[in-house]
Amino acid sequence: MSKGIPVIFATARPPRMVKLLLPSSLYDRSFKIFYNGALIIDHRNVMMAHHTMDVAAYHELMDYMENLEYSPCVSIEATDQLFCNHEVNNSFGVPVNPHIVPLEKMRKLLPTKILLSKVKDEDIEEIMNTFGHKFNIFVTDSGQLVQMSSKNASKEMAVAHICNELKIPMSHVIAFGDDNNDLGMMKRCGYSVAMGNATEEIKKYSAEITETNDNDGVAMELERIYKNNLHT
């Protein structure tokens, strides 16, 4: 950032969690993409875009979930708060402290993002087939989590929105990713780097594979690129 290069953090996570994970020196000077692209905040912490979910389609999904013969975990992100129909203790080691509410009360919320877990494989397939044209849907975390957002929300669309504002072509963007919700972004950006812990699909569409998240793969690759540019 000191070189005038914009930095974008594109994540599935909500703002409250990213604030806990990122140092304020990075958070306050970067562009942030939350909820897989549904919320974009600029480097001055001003909202650039916010895409909530279609209400009719959301209610249709709630009907589907209520009619299942078992009770999966349904979580709704709305107004930077988490609402769940079951207890959820933490996410990636970060306490989440959700509001526990039944599905019928969730209908009154205007969600930015929906998370489904403990869903049977055959029902995940049915959800993809039934709602794939109404929401952007990603199955992540080794098939354990279904992430749903507005059709107008994706990481690649959010990055494109920021690039358009900055007048920077997508071909000049370096993207790092590890899971299926990164795939569209990896395909659109000029240079894509897969983390060592990435899915095989992500690695397939990447120009480079770096170390894992836990082993500082992003920093290692950026340092490599910087050193190479010094000698060109």
Side-chain angles (χ1 to χ4, degrees), residues 18-29:
V18 175
K19 287 177 183 177
L20 292 175
L21 297 172
L22 267 187
S24 59
S25 58
L26 288 178
Y27 188 94
D28 292 335
R29 298 170 62 194

Side-chain angles (χ1 to χ4, degrees), residues 11-19 34-35 77 80-81 113:
T11 178
R13 295 171 179 170
R16 64 184 182 279
M17 187 177 292
V18 175
K19 287 177 183 177
F34 303 106
Y35 306 120
E77 285 282 353
D80 201 18
Q81 299 179 78
K113 182 183 174 186

Side-chain angles (χ1 to χ4, degrees), residues 52-90:
T52 54
M53 305 183 81
D54 178 80
V55 173
Y58 169 55
H59 288 173
E60 186 181 343
L61 175 66
M62 289 295 102
D63 289 338
Y64 179 91
M65 301 308 295
E66 287 179 338
N67 289 330
L68 291 174
E69 295 180 352
Y70 61 103
S71 181
C73 182
V74 180
S75 302
I76 303 297
E77 285 282 353
T79 63
D80 201 18
Q81 299 179 78
L82 182 65
F83 300 84
C84 304
N85 65 332
H86 292 292
E87 288 284 351
V88 179
N89 295 322
N90 65 77

Side-chain angles (χ1 to χ4, degrees), residues 85-230:
N85 65 332
H86 292 292
E87 288 284 351
V88 179
N89 295 322
N90 65 77
S91 176
F92 299 97
V94 179
V96 291
N97 302 318
H99 303 280
I100 307 302
V101 296
L103 292 184
E104 57 266 25
K105 287 191 176 181
M106 282 189 185
R107 291 176 177 271
K108 299 178 182 179
L109 302 171
L110 183 59
T112 299
K113 182 183 174 186
I114 299 172
L115 299 167
L116 307 177
S117 58
K118 299 180 180 178
V119 182
K120 294 179 180 179
D121 289 345
E122 58 267 28
D123 290 319
I124 292 178
E125 185 176 354
E126 182 65 23
I127 288 169
M128 297 286 286
N129 291 335
T130 303
F131 297 98
H133 65 291
K134 299 180 180 182
F135 304 118
N136 273 336
I137 305 175
F138 304 101
V139 181
T140 62
D141 298 82
S142 302
Q144 300 301 306
L145 185 65
V146 181
Q147 304 189 38
M148 310 177 74
S149 56
S150 165
K151 264 295 182 186
N152 296 317
S154 69
K155 288 186 178 182
E156 62 269 24
M157 285 190 281
V159 172
H161 183 99
I162 294 171
C163 286
N164 184 61
E165 290 293 319
L166 297 175
K167 295 181 172 27
I168 296 174
M170 291 280 280
S171 59
H172 290 188
V173 176
I174 302 173
F176 294 84
D178 63 0
D179 213 334
N180 294 334
N181 55 333
D182 297 316
L183 186 58
M185 178 180 67
M186 305 291 273
K187 290 180 177 180
R188 288 280 303 277
C189 292
Y191 186 77
S192 296
V193 182
M195 306 307 297
N197 54 286
T199 65
E200 290 305 314
E201 190 74 1
I202 290 292
K203 290 178 179 178
K204 176 182 174 182
Y205 285 97
S206 298
E208 192 74 38
I209 300 174
T210 186
E211 266 288 355
T212 65
N213 292 337
D214 291 339
N215 289 332
D216 297 325
V218 172
M220 292 175 66
E221 179 63 14
L222 289 177
E223 185 175 349
R224 186 190 71 80
I225 293 170
Y226 176 72
K227 287 180 177 179
N228 286 346
N229 284 340
L230 287 179

Side-chain angles (χ1 to χ4, degrees), residues 35 38-40 47-52 79 110-112:
Y35 306 120
L39 176 64
I40 310 173
M47 185 172 69
M48 299 177 70
H50 183 204
H51 303 288
T52 54
T79 63
L110 183 59
T112 299

